[in-house]
Amino acid sequence: MCGIVAYIGEKQAYPILINGLKRLEYRGYDSAGVALFNGDLNVYKRKGKVNELIEYARGKNTKGNIGIGHTRWATHGKPDNTNAHPHISGDGRLALIHNGIIENYSPLKEALENLGHTFTSETDTEVLVHLIEELQNRDNLALEEAVRMALTEVVGAYAIVVIDKNDPTKLVAARKASPLVIGIGDNDFFLASDATPIVEHTKKVVYLNDEEIAVVTIDGDLQIKNIGNEVQNPFIQELALEIEALEKGGYDHFMLKEIYEQPKTIADCMRGRLSASEGWVRLGGVEEHINKMLKADRFIFAACGTSWHAGMIAEYLFEELARISVEVEYASELRYRNPIISERDVVIALSQSGETADTLAALKLAKEKGAMTYGIVNVVGSSIARVTDSGSYIHAGPEIGVASTKAFTGQLTLLTLMAITLGYKKGTITKSFYQQLITELDRIPSKVERLLSNIETQVQYIAGEIKDANNALYLGRGYNFPIALEGALKLKEISYIHAEGYPAAEMKHGPIALIDENMPVIVIATNKSAYEKIVSNIQEVKARRGMVIAVVTEGDLEISKIADYTIEIPDTEEPLTPLLSVIPLQLLSYHIALLRGCNVDQPRNLAKSVTVE
Ligand code: AGP
């Protein structure tokens, strides 16, 4: 949510900032802006995407080797040129970019207005830059000290970078609950919300911790202090990210690329953790804490959106295979309840980005209550990965499309590995079933590959048939109920068709009233258990003239007789079906969105990394 990027060094800053903003655009695209120092501060900002900014700045003075840039996902104030970042202090001396929310901006603003400050935007960010200005001028402070003092007065979340035209030899950056990475070049520094704008310049990075303030200088100095003014030792890490992973690689959209990458990403998630020939599964994070996990009263999964759907599948997996009692919570609800969590619980956060503010806050609450915390995360070095007691990366590589696809199947793979491991150690699954699941899991990447090549044309055709629907219903039972939720979310977020996911049997308790010939009903009907029941649910839809698109197991003859369309997926063990059944739903939503002329990778109002509440 909001992307920030900054540069200081010997090179021209503008092209570095613009490329960085393009890489970060998935975090928000309501407006974009830069501030560059070249004798004076030149600030250019525009409503809309980075391309609008490029057009606006064309022919203007974009020179300078120190600069900051921002791409916005609006919180306070509508998306327009005035509310776009960078924001400037009243005396025109400071420019600041910000990702996060200053929650107490209103009383701060009032106090500053009483001191004579006037504001031009509706943003919380402008208040922060005025506050820094006020403290800097009042006590004649160095920029970093004024920033530090200002942040002691701030409630909320921030990642900021500030530039001072009276001292254009440094950038000051700080973070709390919003991510900030510092790339260390040969003689320069690159600062950004994540590593994607940095990796093409350097692989040496420092992840700033909460309440740390960094000063990077034109002479190549990096100094970090905490908000209590104590010097901190920077921990320099090497990025394991390749630039190709950030490109579309010949696909029209990142989402399509990411859907097609799934055979590889699922295999990557299992690499070194599963051997089908030797018949074992090993997960470092689980083995380190095996006793605690086996003795736990409960596993509580906390997540948002698609990651929450993965958590829902975890409930089925862990209860069935490991007989562990599971609760699945929306992180945003868990954090504001007074939940009963104890040191006998394991709280597992699921997050692609590892930065989702609600998930992070739920984890902190769980820690306070003494629970063991575990992170299942994609982005290496992200906040969730760093605050949890232990965890596992899903190794899906950068996911750029706002609609999560490969991260979801990565989460499912990891959760399955975990459930199998615990089930076997607990003795709740037999050795032969353990081996059978391992063998089947090992086959999933090739099954996904075959599935993708078999269904593309058919799914495109079905997309054409239902693209004009106003509503859609997704139904599933057991392991495929969360897949119904996920299918509906995918359709909503990128094609703007209203869709709902339901347990198939629940349909008759309400949603059945909506069914008529205009309502496509997508039924995931691959279950071996409850097969006859789902057939009956399909009959109930057909009896009301609904159009049924059924996802079935290869060779299914019964449902093809009653459904309007059937999409076949390869057969597998029931706990593994979500890894296959979600694929046609991802592809269907992609093609529908495309036919409706929607921006697949950057759907309206959404951002990839939700770092605000
Ligand atoms: C998925 O398609 C969504 N864009 C969204 O629901 C996402 O899953 C959610 O915001 C959680 O993000 P996270 O996995 O990075 O925590």
Side-chain angles (χ1 to χ4, degrees), residues 207-224:
Y207 291 90
L208 214 56
N209 292 314
D210 270 355
E211 302 204 317
E212 283 184 348
I213 298 153
V215 182
V216 287
T217 73
I218 198 97
D219 305 325
D221 270 355
L222 163 65
Q223 264 225 15
I224 301 179

Side-chain angles (χ1 to χ4, degrees), residues 18-217:
I18 290 295
N19 282 342
L21 289 180
K22 285 191 170 166
R23 296 254 186 248
L24 291 174
E25 207 166 21
Y26 71 93
R27 300 177 70 92
Y29 25 85
D30 290 335
S31 62
V34 290
L36 299 145
F37 180 80
N38 181 26
D40 202 352
L41 271 183
N42 291 315
V43 181
Y44 307 116
K45 40 194 208 172
R46 233 52 211 153
K47 180 183 171 193
K49 304 222 163 136
V50 178
N51 280 337
E52 312 284 329
L53 172 68
I54 296 171
E55 279 316 307
Y56 178 67
R58 201 180 294 286
K60 298 193 170 74
N61 180 1
T62 55
K63 299 237 171 321
N65 54 2
I66 166 167
I68 57 180
H70 187 269
T71 176
R72 180 169 186 244
W73 186 86
T75 58
H76 295 57
K78 57 190 169 299
D80 65 15
N81 296 339
T82 313
N83 289 329
H85 299 214
H87 285 283
I88 310 298
S89 57
D91 57 8
R93 182 174 159 183
L94 309 178
L96 178 146
I97 47 174
H98 170 219
N99 167 28
I101 290 183
I102 309 299
E103 288 171 11
N104 60 337
Y105 82 102
S106 189
L108 290 174
K109 187 173 185 177
E110 208 180 308
L112 288 163
E113 278 170 340
N114 289 338
L115 291 167
H117 289 256
T118 53
F119 295 90
T120 52
S121 79
E122 302 157 293
T123 65
D124 50 334
T125 304
E126 196 187 7
V127 175
L128 180 56
V129 72
H130 277 249
L131 179 61
I132 298 169
E133 171 197 5
E134 177 62 30
L135 297 173
Q136 188 180 35
N137 291 339
R138 190 187 70 192
D139 298 331
N140 195 22
L141 299 176
L143 177 62
E144 55 272 32
E145 189 53 13
V147 168
R148 190 180 73 79
M149 297 299 288
L151 293 177
T152 61
E153 294 188 31
V154 157
V155 178
Y158 52 79
I160 57 166
V161 186
V162 198
I163 182 169
D164 179 351
K165 75 171 180 181
N166 290 5
D167 187 4
T169 60
K170 62 185 168 196
L171 291 169
V172 176
R175 76 153 270 180
K176 183 183 176 190
S178 292
L180 192 63
V181 190
I182 302 171
I184 304 171
D186 287 337
N187 235 335
D188 47 7
F189 294 101
F190 307 82
L191 291 82
S193 296
D194 62 43
T196 57
I198 295 177
V199 66
E200 60 199 271
H201 305 290
T202 176
K203 293 209 163 177
K204 273 195 324 192
V205 295
V206 171
Y207 291 90
L208 214 56
N209 292 314
D210 270 355
E211 302 204 317
E212 283 184 348
I213 298 153
V215 182
V216 287
T217 73

Side-chain angles (χ1 to χ4, degrees), residues 240-261:
L241 180 65
E242 296 305 328
I243 192 76
E244 298 73 50
L246 305 173
E247 312 284 353
K248 281 191 200 144
Y251 286 91
D252 289 341
H253 297 94
F254 280 109
M255 182 182 178
L256 192 62
K257 177 190 174 215
E258 287 155 10
I259 290 173
Y260 274 86
E261 273 176 344

Side-chain angles (χ1 to χ4, degrees), residues 367 393 552:
K367 279 193 134 187
Y393 286 117
V552 298

Side-chain angles (χ1 to χ4, degrees), residues 303-309 350-357 359 376 379 384 399 401-405 407 411 486 489-490 493-494 603 606-610:
C304 304
T306 287
S307 295
W308 184 78
H309 296 154
L350 283 157
S351 175
Q352 186 287 128
S353 62
E355 300 293 348
T356 301
T359 310
I376 297 179
V379 178
I384 290 176
E399 190 181 67
V402 165
S404 187
T405 52
Q411 289 167 336
E486 175 59 8
L489 178 65
K490 287 286 92 82
E493 65 181 339
I494 61 167
L606 288 171
K608 184 76 185 159
S609 178
V610 185

